[in-house]
Amino acid sequence: MLNCRLLLRPSLLVGQNLKVNSLSQLNKRLLSTNQFKAGNNNIKNNNIGSIFNLFFNNLKQNITKNLTKANSNINHKKDSILKSSFLLSPFKNNNNIKSKSFNFLSNRSYATHNELRSRLQKRRRQEMMGPLLKPLIFTVVFTVGTFLLSPLLFNYTPLSYFKTHKTHLMYTIMALNAVVFGLWRLAPSVNTLYPYLYKFFVLSHNPTTIRTQWSLLLSSFSHQEFFHFLVNMGCFYSFSMTMINVLGVDNFTSLYLSSGVISSFASLAFSSLTSIGLYGSSVGASGAISAVFASFSVLFPKAGVSFFVFPIPGGAQTALLLFTAYNLAGCILKWGTFDYAAHLGGTVVGVLYGYYLANKVKKNRQRVRYI
């Protein structure tokens, strides 16, 4: 690699044969060369102007010669950080040197810290796209299957009992959450429970460590802390009965189960693609409950909603906007320990489902009006 200081040394640019200590030595040195014999008559008159003209002519030739040589050396050194545009002759009559663009930064052989981090994140995202394929397939198949099979199950199996006892469906879902919570409480005294609980009822944020795809569904029935369980079940109780009456037991079950799986996949994809919480895990019914709440807010935007005991001005639609903004901020700012991506995934499902039902009801009313 060429060193810039070496190329700028006066001895290289001017030439060793032009080192002089006085004007007389310069005169003698110039007289001894064959290049300036034609100017001997002018130099004999000790014309200072002629001497300087000859000096600069010789300087010009030596600079051009050395620059041409240096440029040819640089062309053979592909790893040099300098380009030949640094070494262009300033004289227009020099046609031997080909100019090149000033793009030495693009040929750097090193990377900055930000570039290295960006490359690692890109490689990690590419590595995670493969393991995300199985959870994605499971999510799509389960969602479509639940949507198609729920009406059949509630019409032609013992599950038809819930069509005449709708409140029992709500209590059954709450009971399933309570059973799994009880298993977590029982696990310290029964060590054999831990492997099964962590395999089926905990969602790993790293798709390469997921032992079964059913954890995307079953983790939405799992709570390890009593306060977490209490808050989620309280929210579920507040909105589920209204939504069961509006949607029916089959559609409500399809919405609840599908949103639980989709919210789990949203959490998994967000952690894999952004490397945020990649080595963590999550549990809870928050994603499915977010879908139920979002559908409720779309269908009943002016309904009164309270945060614990404090009423929210504007009703359900304002509460939904605040809830969505809070989760978006949580994903961006990475605060707290909540699974904001799962909340957003459930919210999106609930909003889409709510608008789908609203349009369906609107079309039915128009059809009835025309009849």
Side-chain angles (χ1 to χ4, degrees):
M1 180 180 293
L2 294 178
N3 192 310
C4 186
R5 291 181 297 175
L6 176 61
L7 295 175
L8 296 180
R9 283 170 46 195
S11 61
L12 180 60
L13 293 177
V14 178
Q16 297 290 343
N17 59 339
L18 292 180
K19 288 186 176 180
V20 294
N21 295 325
S22 65
L23 188 61
S24 59
Q25 290 182 3
L26 174 63
N27 187 15
K28 293 179 181 181
R29 186 69 58 86
L30 295 176
L31 289 174
S32 63
T33 60
N34 294 327
Q35 300 175 1
F36 300 96
K37 288 182 179 181
N40 284 341
N41 294 330
N42 294 329
I43 297 174
K44 290 179 180 180
N45 296 328
N46 293 326
N47 190 316
I48 297 177
S50 298
I51 293 174
F52 276 103
N53 288 333
L54 293 173
F55 172 79
F56 284 114
N57 288 333
N58 193 24
L59 175 64
K60 170 185 174 180
Q61 294 177 1
N62 280 277
I63 289 176
T64 303
K65 180 180 179 180
N66 285 285
L67 290 177
T68 305
K69 183 178 180 181
N71 186 43
S72 62
N73 292 334
I74 287 176
N75 289 335
H76 294 290
K77 296 180 179 292
K78 295 182 180 181
D79 295 332
S80 175
I81 195 170
L82 295 176
K83 301 297 283 186
S84 59
S85 58
F86 269 142
L87 306 174
L88 290 177
S89 173
F91 306 103
K92 296 182 179 180
N93 61 353
N94 184 14
N95 297 322
N96 298 325
I97 302 176
K98 296 180 179 180
S99 61
K100 295 183 179 180
S101 60
F102 187 79
N103 59 348
F104 69 95
L105 290 178
S106 62
N107 291 339
R108 287 185 287 111
S109 59
Y110 60 90
T112 63
H113 175 73
N114 290 333
E115 289 174 340
L116 289 175
R117 183 175 61 182
S118 177
R119 292 176 188 176
L120 290 175
Q121 291 178 348
K122 183 178 180 180
R123 180 179 297 179
R124 186 180 291 112
R125 287 194 295 267
Q126 292 175 348
E127 292 175 352
M128 290 301 175
M129 289 304 294
L132 277 176
L133 183 60
K134 287 184 178 180
L136 176 61
I137 294 174
F138 177 86
T139 301
V140 173
V141 172
F142 182 86
T143 301
V144 174
T146 303
F147 180 78
L148 296 176
L149 294 178
S150 291
L152 299 176
L153 293 175
F154 283 95
N155 287 325
Y156 304 104
T157 67
L159 293 177
S160 60
Y161 167 83
F162 293 109
K163 297 191 72 173
T164 56
H165 301 79
K166 295 181 180 180
T167 56
H168 292 181
L169 176 63
M170 178 186 66
Y171 292 128
T172 299
I173 294 175
M174 296 176 66
L176 291 175
N177 283 271
V179 169
V180 178
F181 175 74
L183 292 176
W184 282 109
R185 300 295 93 192
L186 187 63
S189 57
V190 183
N191 293 330
T192 56
L193 283 177
Y194 273 121
Y196 295 99
L197 289 174
Y198 278 106
K199 178 180 179 180
F200 291 99
F201 295 94
V202 175
L203 175 66
S204 174
H205 288 174
N206 190 336
T208 61
T209 60
I210 293 179
R211 300 173 60 186
T212 175
Q213 304 303 325
W214 286 102
S215 62
L216 275 75
L217 171 65
L218 299 179
S219 62
S220 62
F221 290 87
S222 180
H223 301 83
Q224 292 181 342
E225 298 178 358
F226 179 74
F227 182 76
H228 186 203
F229 169 76
L230 183 64
V231 171
N232 277 350
M233 292 301 100
C235 294
F236 177 75
Y237 179 83
S238 300
F239 303 103
S240 61
M241 198 63 246
T242 301
M243 295 303 295
I244 290 174
N245 290 325
V246 172
L247 303 179
V249 292
D250 51 351
N251 291 326
F252 179 84
T253 303
S254 175
L255 171 64
Y256 186 85
L257 297 180
S258 298
S259 59
V261 174
I262 293 174
S263 63
S264 295
F265 178 77
S267 173
L268 185 65
F270 178 78
S271 298
S272 300
L273 298 179
T274 63
S275 300
I276 298 176
L278 185 61
Y279 302 102
S281 58
S282 62
V283 296
S286 302
I289 297 171
S290 298
V292 175
F293 167 64
S295 295
F296 175 87
S297 300
V298 172
L299 296 174
F300 308 101
K302 300 298 182 180
V305 175
S306 298
F307 180 71
F308 292 102
V309 296
F310 304 101
I312 298 177
Q317 61 182 0
T318 303
L320 178 62
L321 290 174
L322 293 175
F323 180 72
T324 304
Y326 171 74
N327 288 299
L328 283 173
C331 288
I332 297 172
L333 302 177
K334 310 172 189 178
W335 59 33
T337 58
F338 297 108
D339 196 340
Y340 302 104
H343 296 171
L344 289 175
T347 301
V348 171
V349 174
V351 169
L352 295 176
Y353 200 84
Y355 278 113
Y356 165 75
L357 290 176
N359 291 331
K360 188 176 180 180
V361 170
K362 183 178 180 180
K363 291 180 180 179
N364 289 336
R365 289 178 179 175
Q366 290 177 351
R367 187 180 299 111
V368 172
R369 184 181 304 171
Y370 288 126
I371 292 176

